Amino acid sequence: MTTRILADPVLRVSLRQLASPWWMAAVVGLSALPVLIAGIVAAMGGGDSDGVVLGVINGMLAFVVLPLVTMVLGTSAFGNELEDRTLGYLLLRPVNRLRVAAPKLAVVILVAAPLLVVSGVVSVLIGLDGDGRAAGAVAAGIAAGAVAYSSVFLWLGLLTTRAKGFALFYVFLWEGVMASFLEGIRYLSIRFYSLSIMHGVDEKGLGALEGSAIGLPAAVAGAAVVTALFFLLTVRRLRHMDVP
């Protein structure tokens, strides 16, 4: 089964595109930022645990690095083919559009999620003195956020060649400003799904996230709905779009 999945031509081509040296340098560099900051804090004698959680995990990892890494990869999965006008050759194949969209999403997740999870785990282990439970909670939240963001940005990259600009606008206005000040919007925010899963898994070690939590069941359900909804929108777009 695994061999059949890896042999999928769409998956292999997409993996070569997104795993190029330039893209990998960009996403690895972004993913390393929380680790670097946590290391600097530890080298300077360490800070209080709440400060590390709010500054490194919430402020840097969940708000900046998580959406930017998935944005770079997700919008490029179809975006490169739209810009090169090669998407038409892919869609001329007599295959179900689900079999085109699924490998694309899988590649984005396979590249982005491990980097982000490792970044979160290492940052927590450095910043919170090796707290394994907190590291596992951050890993779960970041993984859920990475999957949901990847689905959204995959669809956006198929929708427009200016996807990165729209994605930045969405991340910093909706996920950043509006969701931070209007509590109701947190139920429609991937960032707050991710933070809520972290807090729900380890309420004690990550207690500083309590003010950002909407409840573990709501966060898990929200992340699942967003992922499924935007993946289905991607499949629908592939079925109905006009490709030159």
Side-chain angles (χ1 to χ4, degrees), residues 8-21:
D8 185 281
V10 178
L11 188 144
R12 287 189 287 108
V13 170
S14 301
L15 188 59
R16 282 199 300 269
Q17 289 175 337
L18 296 185
S20 67

Side-chain angles (χ1 to χ4, degrees), residues 57 62 137-138 141-142 194-203 206 209:
I57 303 304
V138 169
I142 291 299
S194 184
L195 294 173
S196 299
I197 291 171
M198 296 178 195
H199 179 262
V201 174
D202 186 10
E203 295 184 6
L206 300 174
L209 297 178

